[in-house]
């Protein structure tokens, strides 16, 4: 459950520092919006496709991960074709697909902890301004990962209680007790965090 | 931000992730199953308020960005932020904030159940549907160049389902307000 | 070195949770008993500053729980009634390590301390397990380890044997027995506090008995009417 989309591997792209990958993506996403020449967009798309497919993902998985977005792009491209003509539609498709493939490649080659380290660095300026604490982000992230399975267990229990009492399973009667039970834990969890001295004020 | 606020944000983010993991739910009177996760924006704003609700979504999006499959159907990764629907993702944060802001203004514990329900419904409509669609379609229009109007027309098909979700979210938020009020204690 | 209450009382709104009391706790093993809602948890939470006295003051080894609240949290560790809530990171090893962060330790030092405390409570085999999948007894031991690793001189345990089977109860009792810290245990498990040097009985927000285990437990039976 909630397994990272990272794929074990040792390709050059795996070894590239996270910061370089993210800056590349950001630069590409800005730059490509100023380009509508297919002579540039098609080779860019082919390059990112090769990059993505060379990462060692099984084919099914590789297509499964981007299938939903590719579908959304296809719909949007059809609309663009209808309103703005074929060239615009093709440019949009190759531009967005190139970005999506590059982004998916970064996701597949970067571990959660590498991302977290980078986020902590990026948040340093905010921390220095006193707006937030970088350590809070990893604490919050840990809490989510810790409590999602707990909520799923509770959901199963509530469903069983419904069945035992012969009640039909409805979103309201499921979600309301679940949300209340989950949020009620907040007080004791917060107290425990303070008691263990995680957040030095 | 108090530790309690931090924990409430994380727990609500966990609830949003949970809503994406469970299979779609069928309602008694409508044959089409609905995905529960898209109710999260309205629930977050109405239950934990503007600031905490929006931050819960920031946390979910952060998790998505670093490669955790936190969206419904096991989706995740940076690719979603690079796609044409990225505006809706940004819209979740703004939508939860606006929903919360309106809920905080329109609903209080002293009101009758009817007024509370009406308040939550208005907040869910404006924040959870209006703001999310505005952000989503602005980005879509920018990416495609087809114009905002046409983008909006394209997304009309989703409106009936979202109205239904606003109704469910309203009832759920009101029931939580009765059982365990968090909205009045603003972050 | 001791825990000192000076005319300390606690009110939540109109309700008095704890009437004023003054006492000094210096014994190594102290039990706290009483009916539900008698004020024993409020009393225990005063000690590490989770609850602040409405009047009077509480000091822990010379540190005031209001003025030096951060230092007090480091001095007195608290193991909660539902230890599941206390373990807040997904994996056992991560959870214990997290308590050591922001203390100026290197990652290697944190790992070494984590391994040492897990070994100390004979739970090294749980290091890689998900917190959420631990059994009741395992959760309690990991919760104790997660607090002990930060080096408190006093440990307060709220109902540590609640919901444990006989075997795990004995294991947790033996673990508490082996702790080198000053230990305060809140419990309905009278057998657990029976051998303690001093046992306090709370009733309706008042300390009504304070002394040897036998005497206090006898008084508890009278109060409870059985």
């Amino acid at each position: 459950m909630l397994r990272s989309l990272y794929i074990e591997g040792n390709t050059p792209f795996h070894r590239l520092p996270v910061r370089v990958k993210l800056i590349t993506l950001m630069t590409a996403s800005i730059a490509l919006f100023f380009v509508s020449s297919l002579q540039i967009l098609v080779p860019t798309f082919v390059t990112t496709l090769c990059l993505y497919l060379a990462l060692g993902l099984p084919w099914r998985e590789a297509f499964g991960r981007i299938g939903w977005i590719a579908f959304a792009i296809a719909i949007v491209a059809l609309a663009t074709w209808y309103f703005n003509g074929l060239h615009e539609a093709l440019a949009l498709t190759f531009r967005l697909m190139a970005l999506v493939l590059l982004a998916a490649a970064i996701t597949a080659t970067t571990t959660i902890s590498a991302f977290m380290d980078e986020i902590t660095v990026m948040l340093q300026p905010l921390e220095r301004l006193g707006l937030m604490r970088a350590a809070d982000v990893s604490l919050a992230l840990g809490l989510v990962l810790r409590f999602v399975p707990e909520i799923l267990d509770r959901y199963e229990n509530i469903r069983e209680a419904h069945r035992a009492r012969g009640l039909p399973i409805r979103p309201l009667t499921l979600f309301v007790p679940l949300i209340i039970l989950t949020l009620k834990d907040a007080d004791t969890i917060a107290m425990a965090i303070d008691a263990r001295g995680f957040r030095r004020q | 931000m108090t530790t309690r606020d931090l924990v409430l944000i994380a727990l609500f983010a966990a609830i949003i992730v949970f809503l994406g993991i469970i299979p779609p739910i069928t309602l008694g009177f409508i044959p089409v199953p609905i995905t529960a996760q898209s109710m999260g924006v309205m629930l977050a704003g109405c239950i934990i308020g503007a600031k905490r609700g929006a931050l819960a979504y920031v946390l979910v999006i952060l998790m998505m960005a670093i490669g955790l499959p936190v969206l419904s159907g096991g989706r995740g990764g940076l690719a979603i932020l690079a796609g044409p629907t990225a505006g809706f993702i940004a819209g979740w944060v703004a939508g939860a904030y606006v929903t919360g802001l309106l809920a905080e203004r329109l609903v209080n514990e002293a009101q009758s159940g009817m007024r509370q329900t009406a308040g939550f419904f208005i907040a869910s409509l404006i924040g959870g549907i209006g703001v999310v669609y505005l952000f989503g379609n602005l980005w879509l229009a920018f990416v495609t160049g087809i114009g905002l109007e046409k983008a909006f027309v394209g997304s009309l098909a989703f409106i009936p389902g979202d109205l239904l979700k606003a109704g469910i979210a309203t009832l759920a938020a009101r029931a939580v307000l009765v059982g365990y009020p968090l909205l009045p204690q603003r972050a | 070195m001791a825990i000192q209450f000076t005319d300390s009382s606690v009110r939540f709104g109109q309700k008095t949770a704890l009437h004023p009391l003054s006492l000094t706790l210096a014994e190594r093993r102290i039990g706290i008993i009483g009916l539900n809602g008698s004020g024993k948890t409020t009393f225990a939470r005063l000690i590490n500053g989770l609850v602040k006295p409405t009047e009077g003051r509480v000091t822990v080894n010379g540190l005031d729980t209001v003025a030096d609240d951060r230092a007090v949290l480091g001095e007195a560790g608290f193991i909660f009634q539902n230890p599941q809530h206390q373990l807040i990171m997904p994996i056992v090893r991560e959870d214990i390590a997290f308590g050591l962060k922001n203390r100026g330790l290197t990652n290697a030092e944190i790992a070494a301390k984590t391994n040492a405390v897990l070994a100390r409570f004979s739970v090294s085999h749980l290091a890689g397990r998900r917190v959420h999948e631990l059994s009741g007894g395992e959760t309690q031991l990991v919760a104790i380890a997660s607090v002990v690793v930060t080096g408190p001189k006093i440990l307060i345990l709220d109902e540590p044997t609640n919901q444990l089977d006989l075997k795990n109860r004995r294991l947790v009792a033996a673990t508490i027995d082996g702790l080198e810290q000053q230990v305060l245990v809140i419990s309905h498990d009278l057998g657990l506090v029976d051998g303690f040097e001093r046992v306090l009985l709370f009733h309706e927000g008042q300390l009504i008995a304070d002394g040897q285990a036998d005497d206090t437990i006898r008084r508890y039976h009278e109060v409870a009417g059985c």
Side-chain angles (χ1 to χ4, degrees):
Chain A
M1 180 188 317
L2 280 193
R3 286 263 306 282
S4 163
L5 297 169
Y6 170 75
I7 292 291
E8 208 70 54
N10 198 21
T11 67
F13 205 63
H14 274 90
R15 290 193 299 267
L16 218 55
V18 202
R19 195 169 309 173
V20 175
K21 290 191 253 195
L22 289 175
I23 290 173
T24 309
L25 179 64
M26 220 174 292
T27 317
S29 62
I30 295 168
L32 287 187
F33 273 98
F34 295 104
V35 178
S36 53
S37 149
L38 290 178
Q39 272 104 335
I40 299 174
L41 289 173
V42 174
T44 312
F45 165 73
V46 174
T47 312
T48 52
L49 182 68
C50 293
L51 171 73
Y52 181 59
L53 294 179
L55 296 175
L57 277 162
W59 287 84
R60 269 183 77 104
E61 166 100 33
F63 287 109
R65 283 185 180 196
I66 53 163
W68 180 83
I69 306 167
F71 178 72
I73 292 176
I75 303 267
V76 170
L78 282 176
T80 310
W81 187 8
Y82 180 76
F83 291 118
N84 294 347
L86 183 62
H87 181 269
E88 281 288 306
L90 286 175
L92 170 124
T93 307
F94 288 118
R95 180 190 298 134
L96 287 181
M97 279 308 294
L99 290 176
V100 163
L101 288 165
L102 181 61
I106 296 174
T107 298
T109 56
T110 312
T111 59
I112 302 273
S113 59
F115 269 123
M116 285 308 299
D117 290 347
E118 194 55 37
I119 288 169
T120 310
V121 173
M122 290 194 302
L123 292 177
Q124 285 307 319
L126 291 179
E127 177 154 329
R128 243 172 269 130
L129 288 172
L131 291 175
M132 65 171 306
R133 273 177 286 179
D136 281 354
V137 177
S138 47
L139 171 57
L141 191 81
L143 280 170
V144 179
L145 294 175
R146 160 80 180 82
F147 283 97
V148 167
E150 198 94 19
I151 296 172
L152 276 167
D153 277 358
R154 208 166 268 163
Y155 172 69
E156 283 308 319
N157 289 341
I158 296 173
R159 272 167 67 104
E160 267 172 23
H162 273 65
R163 272 191 226 109
R165 294 169 62 187
L167 298 171
I169 290 164
R170 293 271 182 272
L172 270 184
T173 55
L174 277 181
F175 294 158
V176 170
L178 191 75
I179 292 171
I180 292 178
L181 283 174
T182 302
L183 297 181
K184 264 190 174 164
D185 288 347
D187 294 306
T188 42
I189 297 167
M191 213 180 247
I193 291 172
D194 285 338
R196 288 176 67 185
F198 281 172
R199 299 176 87 223
R200 335 224 106 199
Q201 312 273 332
Chain B
M1 189 166 48
T2 66
T3 307
R4 186 166 178 274
D5 288 331
L6 182 84
V7 173
L8 279 172
I9 290 164
L11 287 180
F12 215 94
I15 290 172
I16 295 165
V17 173
F18 153 82
L19 291 173
I21 294 176
I22 53 168
I25 289 183
T26 40
L27 298 166
F29 51 98
I30 296 170
V32 191
I34 61 163
T35 49
Q37 197 173 43
S38 45
M39 277 191 307
V41 173
M42 308 166 190
L43 289 173
C46 289
I47 292 172
I48 55 173
K51 194 176 163 202
R52 293 178 297 204
L55 286 173
Y57 263 95
V58 171
L59 188 55
V60 170
I61 293 168
L62 181 82
M63 293 176 74
M64 184 197 80
I66 66 175
L68 288 163
V70 291
L71 301 190
S72 59
R75 290 179 288 127
L78 277 172
I80 293 174
L81 291 179
T85 51
F88 289 94
I89 312 270
W92 291 342
V93 178
Y97 190 80
V98 172
T99 307
L101 217 54
L102 289 169
E104 286 167 5
R105 298 288 179 287
L106 296 174
V107 180
N108 67 59
E109 280 183 274
Q111 291 166 333
S112 67
M114 197 67 142
R115 285 202 56 185
Q116 291 174 342
T117 308
F120 281 139
F121 192 65
I122 292 168
S124 299
L125 285 184
I126 296 177
I129 301 179
V131 172
V132 174
Y133 277 57
L134 181 67
F135 274 70
N137 285 317
L138 272 175
W139 180 245
L140 201 59
F142 170 68
V143 168
T144 57
I146 59 172
L148 192 55
E149 230 170 279
K150 285 168 187 150
F152 258 111
V153 172
S155 57
L156 281 182
F158 299 101
I159 293 276
D162 282 340
L163 287 175
L164 191 68
K165 285 172 192 173
I168 300 173
T170 296
L171 296 176
R174 150 112 173 100
V176 174
L177 184 72
V178 173
Y180 187 63
L182 284 163
L183 185 67
Q185 323 148 6
R186 278 178 216 163
Chain C
M1 284 308 186
I3 303 161
Q4 186 108 36
F5 287 75
T6 316
D7 296 320
S8 327
S9 67
V10 178
R11 275 194 306 277
F12 297 119
Q14 295 293 320
K15 194 176 161 280
T16 301
L18 199 66
H19 291 278
L21 59 85
S22 298
L23 77 163
T24 304
L25 302 172
E27 291 76 7
R28 260 190 85 245
R29 292 291 179 266
I30 297 166
I32 303 167
I33 59 176
L35 300 174
N36 294 327
S38 59
K40 54 189 190 309
T41 295
T42 304
F43 174 78
R45 289 187 172 177
L46 272 172
I47 297 171
N48 74 338
L50 284 176
V51 171
K52 309 278 193 254
T54 315
E55 271 154 22
R57 63 194 294 244
V58 180
T59 59
V60 175
N61 295 346
L63 300 163
D64 187 283
T65 61
V66 176
D68 315 306
D69 56 343
R70 305 277 341 158
V72 167
L73 283 175
E75 197 79 3
F78 202 103
I79 289 113
F80 286 77
Q81 196 171 120
N82 183 350
Q84 272 285 339
H85 289 162
Q86 177 154 4
L87 304 176
I88 57 175
M89 284 284 138
I91 308 291
V92 169
R93 186 189 295 114
E94 290 173 5
D95 185 82
I96 292 182
F98 205 81
L100 296 169
K101 288 193 176 152
N102 308 330
R103 286 171 192 256
L105 297 172
T106 66
N107 285 342
E109 284 167 340
I110 290 178
K113 273 178 175 271
T114 302
N115 290 335
V117 82
L118 288 171
R120 150 90 177 75
F121 291 102
S122 316
V123 286
S124 298
H125 58 289
L126 301 178
R129 287 269 295 278
R130 284 164 195 262
V131 162
H132 142 85
E133 291 166 355
L134 299 176
S135 74
E138 289 168 345
T139 307
Q140 193 60 258
L141 292 180
V142 171
I144 293 174
S146 74
V147 171
V148 166
V149 76
T150 61
K153 299 195 184 69
I154 299 166
L155 286 175
I156 306 157
L157 296 98
D158 195 352
E159 305 268 3
T161 56
N162 192 15
Q163 298 192 359
L164 294 185
D165 64 27
L166 210 51
K167 193 172 155 218
N168 279 316
R169 183 199 165 278
R170 193 178 304 153
L171 180 64
V172 168
T175 304
I176 293 171
D177 201 44
L179 292 168
E180 58 271 27
Q181 286 86 350
Q182 181 183 19
V183 177
L184 288 92
V185 178
I186 306 171
S187 192
H188 292 299
D189 179 352
L190 299 178
L192 185 66
V193 299
D194 205 7
F196 284 9
E197 294 155 61
R198 182 173 176 186
V199 177
L200 314 178
L201 170 63
F202 284 86
H203 189 63
E204 293 173 352
Q206 307 231 29
L207 177 65
I208 60 164
D210 175 3
Q212 296 214 319
D214 295 354
D215 299 336
T216 311
I217 290 172
R218 199 175 308 123
R219 188 73 212 284
Y220 184 35
H221 282 285
E222 288 168 22
V223 169
C226 56

